[in-house]
Amino acid sequence: MDALLDTAAFGFLVARDDGYVEAANRTLAEMLRTTVERLVGRHLDNLLSTPGRIFYQSHFFPVLRLQGRIAEVYVSLVAEGGTEVPVLL
């Protein structure tokens, strides 16, 4: 990952259309109290809070597949230890 993006003040994550994380920056990993290596290859379902997972499966992903993009969406990711981290996608 580009060094500038890796140390940006914001979390960055790239997920494939099947929901698996392809890339993440160090800032996001630190926000979630984990490592980039532990994020890459995980499914978004394993990173989202329960309400976020329901929203992802019932609304976010179907609309993304139909329209090809999504405007701002607020969800919570779950950090190591179970703490929820609010994010804007």
Side-chain angles (χ1 to χ4, degrees):
M1 175 162 295
D2 180 275
L4 183 61
L5 185 57
D6 200 36
T7 58
F10 56 86
F12 178 80
L13 179 137
V14 175
R16 299 186 317 239
D17 65 356
D18 62 1
Y20 285 91
V21 175
E22 191 168 286
N25 71 351
R26 206 168 17 148
T27 304
L28 179 65
E30 290 171 1
M31 290 169 60
L32 298 178
R33 297 188 202 123
T34 190
T35 64
V36 171
E37 293 77 20
R38 291 193 68 197
L39 288 173
V40 173
R42 289 178 70 183
H43 196 276
L44 289 176
D45 279 351
N46 298 320
L47 297 175
L48 293 165
S49 65
T50 300
R53 205 169 28 255
I54 292 167
F55 179 78
Y56 169 78
Q57 293 170 354
S58 63
H59 292 85
F60 183 87
F61 190 65
V63 171
L64 181 61
R65 293 282 268 203
L66 288 171
Q67 296 180 358
R69 66 185 194 102
I70 295 281
E72 296 177 350
V73 175
Y74 173 83
V75 294
S76 290
L77 298 178
V78 179
E80 293 291 322
T83 304
E84 289 190 15
V85 178
V87 297
L88 183 65
L89 305 174

